[in-house]
Amino acid sequence: MSESLSAATAAPEIALNGLTRSEGGNHVLPPSSRPRRKNSGGIRAGLEVTLLSGPAVIIFLAFVIVPVIVALYYSFYSWKGFGTPNPVGWANYKWTLTNPQFWDAVKHNGIILVLSLVMQGPLAILLALLLNQKMRGRSIIRVLVFVPYVISEAIVGIGMSLMLQDTGAVNDLLNAHVGWLSSPKVAIWTLMFILTWKYIGFAIILMLAGLQGIPEELSEAAAVDGASYWQIQWHIMLPLLKPTIKIWAFLSIIGSMQLFDLVYVIWGQYIANIAGVSTMAYFMAQNGRLSGQLGRGSAIAIVVFLISLVVAIAYQRFILNRDTEGALTEAGEE
Amino acid sequence: MPKVKLTDKRTGEIQILKTSPADGGWGNPVIYFIALCVIAICIAPVLYIIVNGFRDNSQITVKPAGFPHPWVLAHYIDVLKMSSFWHMAWNSLYIALITVVVVVVFGVMASYALARYRFKLRNAIYLLFASGLMFPLSIAITPLYIMMIRTHLAGSPWSVILPQIAFGLPQTVIILTPFLAAIPKEIEEAATVDGCTRLGFFARMVIPLSLPGVVTVGILTFVGSWNSYMLPLYMFSDQSQYTLPLGVQMFSTAHSVDTAQVLAFTSIAMLPALIFFSAFERRIVGGLTGAVKG
């Protein structure tokens, strides 16, 4: 979705993509179904392929791959968006890597990454197990659980900041005076709550879909052998859900790494650093585009890119194993 | 509890199952209760935004968590009368529609080539799009802005549309390729026998047959574009170009004392995505389910 491309929004979208990736696990690239004309077309077939796939490939290369090269180039310049770029060598990288605020942001991203997995994962699995039974209104429940996911991060941010401000509805309801957004100790937990609220529906739907792919015969057979409900969930459903859980975790990690919208809308351009919720993407926007330092912003983008790459590769190397590796790493290998 | 019913058929085991807690009567009420709690938590913030738009500021100040008394319609009417609101809604719609159309058209074309032709770069292209799924926009966004300045596109709707298309294509291709590959060979052979060219087959058979997949992809792309925030934030500096998510944030900053008005503005801005989602919910949730099952 990419669409959405906004950092936080992109997370879900990429997430959606991920779903399909699981499919890839089984049959990486579906076999083309026309061996017959293999030799018939020749030049004509080649032309057709070029015309059909050309536009998508060109747009993709131009706006996804080329930017990485552009960022690499401009990261060695100082440029404010007009005039001639001024070469500065490694200064932008030095500035970034010696900036304590950057490392704060990296730390916050790490905390968010781990807490998202720890908070959303078990909760989503538990709720999916509970909802994975024939009950009335299940389809309505699925829709309502999905609602927060569909609402724009900007709107969630505005609504949440009004509810959670010092004189807001939450403090009124609890009869408390907690600085949900302003207190550095509390703010990160507030953010985690909002993230859980926003994205748990997606996790639940994903887990439910995974559960529904498990043949009913297995739990039936276990029940026949006298296994209790929770024994069945623990010893049969959970292990079989593993591939889904791993894919969800990967999507969640990607989402955590690029969190931006919610933090920026709720905490604004400056306060996130003080509140202890700034993220790498926030730091990049704040010190790049929003302060007119496009060379510096490019250098930060490259650093963030490398960090994300290391995390993604580490995850695939150490966590994902055979059952999903085809889907995530060797998508092209046939 | 389906298991109970199914095992009922196997006589002899029924007794054991009936006494196990698995099918015990306590299960269901608890599950309904938990489901209700989850729904309440999911929906409460949304309801807060909508309901509080019907209160006036003095009501909100006196009792931040409360119900409208009396209900005030004025804030909603004011928002609907705002020409800037309609202008931003139009910007959002315009960008989303063009993005969806191009993503779908180019996506179907590329997926068709990948699904039904054999050619040298086929695997490479598929791998390219598959890796694109994992590439976050936030990393490309600074250089994209530089590119848009360099090409004098920054500030035009295309500065948002083009990157959105590029980042929307991977998921479209990955979803649609298996879909198109699944169209039975026999249909194509029959069409060939009847004198249909491969491109003719594409236009007359593939497009109609792939419609369900296309609708799923189209909805995902539309909602993504409609909610998109970071890209317009980077590209647009003039308020006349703002889309609704940017507008909501700007409005809330400009009217920070007028909480009720901000809430009314926010709830109207979120309505289209909600309506759109509930209209096509089966496709989105169903599409996800199908994808994972695969």
Side-chain angles (χ1 to χ4, degrees), chain A residues 1 5-6 14 17 19 26 30 32-34 37 48 74 136 143 150 172 197 220 258 284 289 334, chain B residues 6 32 41 63 65 115-117 122-123 133 136-138 150 171 185 188 192 227 230 234 288 294:
Chain A
M1 314 277 58
L5 319 209
S6 45
I14 290 185
N17 306 329
L19 299 178
N26 300 335
S32 124
S33 49
R34 15 185 27 274
R37 285 199 188 159
E48 285 176 8
Y74 276 90
R136 284 182 180 275
V143 175
V150 179
D172 181 41
W197 176 81
E220 280 166 30
Q258 56 170 339
M284 182 190 76
R289 165 73 170 98
E334 256 186 299
Chain B
L6 286 161
Y32 283 104
I41 293 169
K63 182 95 183 83
R116 305 196 76 92
Y117 288 74
R122 184 164 162 264
N123 277 341
L133 290 177
L137 174 88
S138 62
R150 286 301 196 192
Q171 101 168 353
K185 228 187 317 179
E188 188 173 1
T192 316
N227 290 342
M230 195 181 192
Y234 262 67
L288 292 182

Side-chain angles (χ1 to χ4, degrees), chain B residues 31-133:
Chain B
I31 288 161
Y32 283 104
F33 177 73
I34 293 173
L36 271 181
C37 293
V38 172
I39 290 172
I41 293 169
C42 286
I43 300 302
V46 181
L47 287 183
Y48 166 83
I49 295 173
I50 297 172
V51 169
N52 276 267
F54 288 107
R55 307 170 81 199
D56 59 31
N57 285 312
S58 58
Q59 290 183 39
I60 295 178
T61 314
V62 173
K63 182 95 183 83
F67 282 95
H69 183 80
W71 289 66
V72 183
L73 271 174
H75 303 299
Y76 279 98
I77 295 169
D78 285 351
V79 173
L80 291 174
K81 280 188 192 154
M82 250 178 250
S83 64
S84 61
F85 171 82
W86 292 104
H87 187 72
M88 290 185 289
W90 164 248
N91 287 346
S92 283
L93 187 68
Y94 178 81
I95 289 175
L97 285 182
I98 297 183
T99 304
V100 169
V101 170
V102 181
V103 163
V104 165
V105 171
F106 287 0
V108 171
M109 284 162 55
S111 310
Y112 182 66
L114 290 173
R116 305 196 76 92
Y117 288 74
R118 286 222 165 264
F119 54 98
K120 231 202 277 172
L121 289 173
R122 184 164 162 264
N123 277 341
I125 292 178
Y126 191 83
L127 182 61
L128 187 71
F129 285 118
S131 60
L133 290 177

Side-chain angles (χ1 to χ4, degrees), chain A residues 307-325:
Chain A
I307 293 177
S308 308
L309 199 66
V310 168
V311 172
I313 291 173
Y315 183 80
Q316 294 183 21
R317 186 95 181 67
F318 297 114
I319 312 274
L320 291 182
N321 47 29
R322 301 254 134 78
D323 49 15
T324 45
E325 77 177 359

Side-chain angles (χ1 to χ4, degrees), chain A residues 274-288:
Chain A
I274 305 157
V277 291
S278 60
T279 63
M280 295 188 295
Y282 178 91
F283 180 83
M284 182 190 76
Q286 186 187 25
N287 296 291

Side-chain angles (χ1 to χ4, degrees), chain B residues 84-245:
Chain B
S84 61
F85 171 82
W86 292 104
H87 187 72
M88 290 185 289
W90 164 248
N91 287 346
S92 283
L93 187 68
Y94 178 81
I95 289 175
L97 285 182
I98 297 183
T99 304
V100 169
V101 170
V102 181
V103 163
V104 165
V105 171
F106 287 0
V108 171
M109 284 162 55
S111 310
Y112 182 66
L114 290 173
R116 305 196 76 92
Y117 288 74
R118 286 222 165 264
F119 54 98
K120 231 202 277 172
L121 289 173
R122 184 164 162 264
N123 277 341
I125 292 178
Y126 191 83
L127 182 61
L128 187 71
F129 285 118
S131 60
L133 290 177
M134 288 172 256
F135 195 89
L137 174 88
S138 62
I139 285 165
I141 198 162
T142 306
L144 278 171
Y145 179 60
I146 293 174
M147 289 160 66
M148 293 304 169
I149 294 178
R150 286 301 196 192
T151 51
H152 302 286
L153 278 174
S156 105
W158 291 100
S159 61
V160 171
I161 293 171
L162 289 170
Q164 282 188 172
I165 294 169
F167 278 86
L169 278 170
Q171 101 168 353
T172 308
V173 169
I174 303 300
I175 290 182
L176 287 182
T177 302
F179 217 98
L180 295 178
I183 295 175
K185 228 187 317 179
E186 289 73 21
I187 296 185
E188 188 173 1
E189 279 160 10
T192 316
V193 171
D194 290 345
C196 204
T197 63
R198 220 189 290 188
L199 286 178
F201 173 73
F202 176 71
R204 284 176 215 180
M205 296 301 302
V206 172
I207 292 178
L209 283 173
S210 63
L211 213 55
V214 165
V215 171
T216 304
V217 167
I219 294 163
L220 292 175
T221 309
F222 183 92
V223 173
S225 169
W226 185 269
N227 290 342
S228 164
Y229 179 79
M230 195 181 192
L231 197 54
L233 177 74
Y234 262 67
M235 299 299 169
F236 298 153
S237 35
D238 189 312
Q239 285 182 16
S240 69
Q241 301 147 345
Y242 276 17
T243 53
L244 270 182

